[in-house]
Amino acid sequence: MRISDLIAANKELNKKVILIDDLMQNKVKEIIDLAEQKSPLFLEKFQLFFPDFIPALLRINPDLVSSELQMCALIKLEFRTKDIAVCTDSTVKSVESRKYRVKKKLNIPSNVNIDCFLNQL
């Protein structure tokens, strides 16, 4: 009787995990859509979903400006350089330059990719 109860409880938990994963994917999709639409709500929604990300960046360097935080958020969402350029009405070259400057501001070693660094943050 006890094993069957555990199996039933496990099935219920698995259903809940699937529902939560689905909700998370929908929220991330919503945030990505806001970024692609160049919505001013993008960074606000991003911070609601990833509440520790921006404060972690600002602990490393409190002098980061809003556009740098936005770019870091886009990188966290796995936007490629070309996609960031489209979302920020910039050229690929200017995004690469901004990535380099942010990498320096965050003291990321030259052998560490900024995308990997931000995804682990």
Side-chain angles (χ1 to χ4, degrees):
M1 186 74 163
R2 185 150 163 84
I3 291 177
S4 63
D5 290 342
L6 290 173
I7 290 171
N10 190 32
K11 284 182 182 179
E12 284 301 311
L13 286 174
N14 283 335
K15 285 180 189 177
K16 288 179 182 180
V17 166
I18 290 169
L19 286 173
I20 289 170
D21 284 346
D22 206 33
L23 287 172
M24 287 179 61
Q25 287 178 347
N26 287 337
K27 281 295 182 190
V28 171
K29 174 85 172 98
E30 178 186 339
I31 294 167
I32 289 170
D33 289 345
L34 288 171
E36 291 171 344
Q37 296 165 8
K38 302 173 181 107
S39 171
L41 296 175
F42 162 69
L43 203 53
E44 185 179 321
K45 290 275 188 170
F46 177 87
Q47 287 179 283
L48 289 173
F49 197 74
F50 298 98
D52 300 329
F53 184 73
I54 301 291
L57 289 173
L58 293 173
R59 275 193 298 278
I60 296 170
N61 187 336
D63 296 329
L64 291 170
V65 296
S66 179
S67 62
E68 293 167 333
L69 295 172
Q70 179 180 0
M71 189 179 67
C72 289
L74 292 170
I75 293 169
K76 175 80 172 172
L77 291 171
E78 299 180 359
F79 276 58
R80 298 173 315 190
T81 300
K82 182 179 175 183
D83 300 326
I84 294 170
V86 170
C87 286
T88 59
D89 292 325
S90 307
T91 65
V92 169
K93 184 71 175 160
S94 67
V95 171
E96 289 171 347
S97 296
R98 278 188 274 149
K99 276 180 146 182
Y100 176 78
R101 286 192 301 273
V102 169
K103 187 173 178 175
K104 291 296 178 194
K105 280 186 165 186
L106 295 175
N107 297 315
I108 301 171
S110 59
N111 63 333
V112 176
N113 182 298
I114 188 171
D115 299 40
C116 294
F117 179 86
L118 293 176
N119 280 325
Q120 293 174 356
L121 196 61

